Amino acid sequence: MLEPGTRFDLMESLRPPLGMQLDAAVGTTYTLDLDALMGVSAAFATDRARAAVDADETGLEPVALLDAVRRTASRMAVFCQAGAVKVPARSRQVFAWLEDSVVECLAPGGGVFHPKVWVLRYVDADGGEALRFLCLSRNLTFDRSWDVVLRLDADLSGKALADEVGESGPRVARFLRSLLAPGVAVGRPSTSARGLVDQLARCAERATFHAPEGFTSVDVWPMGLGDPGPPLGTDKERVLVCAPFIGPTMLGRLAPAARPHVLISRAESIDQVGADGLASFEQVYVMSAEADVAEAEAENDVAETLRGLHAKFFVFEHRAKARLLIGSPNATTAAFDTNVEVACELRGHTRDAGIDAVLAHDSAEVSLLNLLTAYAPPEHAVPTDADHDLQFVLQKMAADVTAAAWRARVVEGEGLEVTVTSPVASLASGVSIECRPITLRSHRAAPIDVTAGLPVAFACTPEAITAFIAVTLRVEAGGADGEALGETAFVVNAELVGAPADRKERVLAALLADPARFIEYLLLLLGQADDVFGMEGGSGIWRAAQAALAGGGDAPPLLEVLLRAASRAPDSLEHVAALVDGLRQTPEGRAALPPGFEEVWDVVWAACSLEELS
């Protein structure tokens, strides 16, 4: 139970059960890193694709990663806070397949969109299905902070006892549908995103969530979209609060009576409350310096560093009963009153799930308490500094600017014309904004007036067309020596208008680049990756193909590998057919096909089609 020695990677939690594959996934997050979203695609694919996410690639995308994104992007949708999509350090062409997957959102209550969940449906070849619900405290980024994750695997059989069914499934369904509501989703979500939400909502309606081992029951509590939130602390309960951000008013609501309460937070957050606001808390902790050091994984001795508290959970106990609230809310009034959040409430016995059990569980090799150090708050609250306050202002402006209905219109032969179609009413004096398609380098950014709705033109190639626009918002007035007082950069997912029908095929051709890359991808699709990566037992096709291409003579010997796939895994040829059809649509794509391949492929594919008809 919350044992720090047991580490679960988000990608591992997303991975399909044995023998199943992803059918649909909807995630929510506050901040979004497009590279991390690409990594989610890899989580549903091969180990080689997962390894490619972390590779320091400066050239073309690894074919395993390209394949993972192409196969899974249409099955995923991610909803995030408007103005909180990070500008990637490197623009990857595979981002073109993620444009329909990203939906920016606002909190209708005036706070921020802050939930961190995944709802996933898996299927197998026999028609079986499984539904998984992940409730997290972490965003979809590569931050290496201390976080928590709860995994619930649902019962979809309809055979659960009446007292086990509960309201969690219908609440999850309502939460999913609310993501598409006007005032929540910015703009109109893609057809694929809307379809995924509908599919998973219908699945969640008939789901029964069972509590994990050590607990007797579980409830899912979406907040800020219509449903009431979870019950908070009562004057009879002892409380443990663990959250990186805290506020005195909310701490009073969580722990309304003076008891030996426990608080775990960040030093700077504790300082901003002060001892006066923490009178009800007998024990106050922060993460120890030893907890923020690199730890080596036993299996491969690769160092991992976890730094900073980001976990959010609350334990309420009274006599023999304990409740654990885990998820995205911080201990602030905004979290429980105005934000969109999701938390799960687990109930159990105090000896198994109470405060002492969470802090120092008997079965834990490394207990949570081992990672904490006592902290003495200052007598009076320390005011927040100007930089802290400015960041909140910048975040609010970024959300308003993102919600201004951005459009990227393709101008044939010229490039992209970027416009804000619902202009922002006004901006504070001294604020400037510039933008660029993320496929262009930062020096190509141009000023844009988001209050007038005037277009800004960017010259770019067809392969550089994108819906993702990088925006930099800068507060220039008030800085010393003419320097900017502060700035924030983010990505908006604009409505893409007039894009060529073969845009992704052009991008695919650019990514495959030449016949050698095509053969590498072909062998991956056919399950012959051992021939590419030098695994034992390979037939040597990859080396023979390389030699043939280098010599400029005979066509690469691909007939054997195609026939082998036709007899052993005929379904894999359907992926090849889609790839070849896409490449044939453009001259650049046809140039990536090896000499003589089309003739060989047409014969093999025709034979397979005739066999299916017979």
Side-chain angles (χ1 to χ4, degrees):
M1 221 297 292
L2 292 176
E3 297 178 11
T6 304
R7 302 270 284 279
F8 289 101
D9 184 273
L10 172 60
M11 302 308 175
E12 180 183 347
S13 300
L14 293 167
R15 206 160 295 165
L18 187 64
M20 306 191 88
Q21 65 180 9
L22 177 73
D23 181 58
V26 169
T28 64
T29 180
Y30 175 68
T31 51
L32 171 63
D33 186 315
L34 293 175
D35 282 307
L37 178 55
M38 188 171 59
V40 171
S41 295
F44 304 122
T46 64
D47 290 333
R48 195 163 287 111
R50 288 188 285 274
V53 175
D54 297 323
D56 184 16
E57 297 287 343
T58 56
L60 294 169
E61 308 298 346
V63 293
L65 184 56
L66 169 61
D67 179 57
V69 175
R70 286 186 68 233
R71 290 198 195 197
T72 61
S74 63
R75 302 177 188 178
M76 295 190 310
V78 175
F79 295 75
C80 63
Q81 166 68 22
V85 181
K86 293 186 175 183
V87 177
R90 171 197 168 196
S91 177
R92 299 176 183 264
Q93 288 181 298
V94 292
F95 289 161
W97 280 272
L98 298 179
E99 292 166 355
D100 286 345
S101 301
V102 176
V103 183
E104 296 134 318
C105 296
L106 298 170
V112 296
F113 184 86
H114 199 252
K116 308 166 200 311
V117 302
W118 279 93
V119 186
L120 308 112
R121 182 177 182 264
Y122 308 104
V123 295
D124 61 25
D126 298 322
E129 63 175 343
L131 184 72
R132 180 175 296 170
F133 182 81
L134 301 180
C135 188
L136 310 100
S137 66
R138 72 167 296 117
N139 293 301
L140 190 51
T141 67
F142 290 113
D143 292 344
R144 304 292 309 166
S145 52
W146 287 96
D147 275 288
V148 289
V149 57
L150 171 66
R151 192 181 93 180
L152 300 175
D153 289 305
D155 180 358
L156 297 174
S157 66
K159 298 179 180 179
L161 298 176
D163 59 351
E164 295 180 326
V165 174
E167 285 296 315
S168 292
R171 285 197 199 107
V172 171
R174 289 193 295 271
F175 170 74
L176 289 170
R177 292 193 173 104
S178 296
L179 298 176
L180 302 174
V184 179
V186 171
R188 181 174 175 81
S190 66
T191 300
S192 62
R194 299 175 73 86
L196 291 168
V197 166
D198 180 67
Q199 178 184 348
L200 288 171
R202 286 186 283 109
C203 194
E205 282 176 332
R206 54 190 177 88
T208 300
F209 294 104
H210 294 296
E213 184 178 356
F215 297 94
T216 57
S217 61
V218 60
D219 270 313
V220 180
W221 296 99
M223 296 178 278
L225 290 177
D227 274 319
L232 300 181
T234 68
D235 57 7
K236 295 181 179 180
E237 290 176 310
R238 181 186 175 212
V239 180
L240 182 153
V241 173
C242 178
F245 302 106
I246 59 177
T249 302
M250 194 64 223
L251 290 176
R253 288 168 60 184
L254 291 164
R259 294 186 181 278
H261 303 307
V262 180
L263 172 68
I264 305 170
S265 189
R266 295 177 178 177
E268 57 270 27
S269 296
I270 295 171
D271 290 350
Q272 289 166 11
V273 174
D276 293 343
L278 298 175
S280 296
F281 289 84
E282 185 176 277
Q283 298 165 273
V284 178
Y285 295 105
V286 296
M287 301 297 293
S288 67
E290 291 75 14
D292 279 352
V293 299
E295 297 182 356
E297 291 186 345
E299 63 269 22
N300 58 12
D301 201 35
V302 175
E304 282 192 353
T305 303
L306 295 182
R307 293 192 179 277
L309 176 72
H310 198 252
K312 306 168 186 69
F313 62 88
F314 310 90
V315 183
F316 307 92
E317 66 174 33
H318 176 57
R319 296 180 180 174
K321 294 182 179 181
R323 300 183 293 124
L324 171 64
L325 197 65
I326 185 171
S328 65
N330 283 289
T332 63
T333 53
F336 286 87
D337 292 349
T338 61
N339 289 357
V340 177
E341 311 269 4
V342 176
C344 288
E345 183 185 15
L346 297 163
R347 289 175 287 276
H349 197 283
T350 297
R351 66 171 177 269
D352 301 317
I355 294 173
D356 294 337
V358 168
L359 288 174
H361 200 279
D362 292 341
S363 65
E365 293 183 11
V366 179
S367 71
L368 178 58
L369 197 58
N370 296 149
L371 303 176
L372 304 176
T373 186
Y375 187 80
E379 183 177 354
H380 302 294
V382 176
T384 58
D385 58 28
D387 287 343
H388 179 275
D389 296 337
L390 178 62
Q391 287 306 310
F392 279 100
V393 174
L394 290 172
Q395 290 169 11
K396 178 63 168 63
M397 285 195 288
D400 291 342
V401 169
T402 301
W406 289 68
R407 176 178 295 163
R409 186 173 70 89
V410 178
V411 181
E412 188 174 355
E414 298 182 23
L416 276 177
E417 187 179 81
V418 177
T419 313
V420 173
T421 61
S422 297
V424 178
S426 63
L427 284 177
S429 61
V431 174
S432 65
I433 298 176
E434 61 181 24
C435 68
R436 62 178 169 89
I438 65 167
T439 48
L440 302 183
R441 295 186 180 276
S442 57
H443 71 271
R444 300 279 302 276
I448 184 169
D449 187 343
V450 299
T451 63
L454 300 175
V456 178
F458 297 91
C460 60
T461 63
E463 293 77 19
I465 292 171
T466 179
F468 289 133
I469 308 300
V471 180
T472 299
L473 189 154
R474 189 173 291 111
V475 180
E476 297 173 335
D481 300 324
E483 294 182 357
L485 185 62
E487 69 176 41
T488 185
F490 51 96
V491 171
V492 297
N493 193 7
E495 177 191 10
L496 187 59
V497 178
D502 62 354
R503 178 174 70 107
K504 289 180 182 176
E505 285 73 21
R506 287 176 179 270
V507 174
L508 180 61
L511 287 168
L512 292 181
D514 57 45
R517 290 271 297 177
F518 172 82
I519 294 174
E520 187 179 347
Y521 196 4
L522 174 71
L523 295 178
L524 178 71
L525 294 179
L526 296 178
Q528 301 296 317
D530 54 347
D531 298 321
V532 178
F533 298 99
M535 303 293 286
E536 292 295 328
S539 63
I541 294 294
W542 173 236
R543 287 179 288 277
Q546 277 186 312
L549 291 171
D554 296 335
L558 297 175
L559 179 59
E560 175 188 342
V561 73
L562 290 171
L563 292 175
R564 185 193 308 170
S567 65
R568 297 180 182 177
D571 290 347
S572 64
L573 291 181
E574 294 182 5
H575 297 298
V576 177
L579 173 65
V580 174
D581 288 346
L583 291 174
R584 279 175 159 173
Q585 293 184 32
T586 66
E588 297 85 356
R590 296 188 84 101
L593 298 174
F597 173 79
E598 290 186 82
E599 292 80 358
V600 172
W601 166 252
D602 287 341
V603 171
V604 173
W605 184 238
C608 290
S609 300
L610 287 173
E611 185 175 344
E612 288 183 8
L613 290 174
S614 62

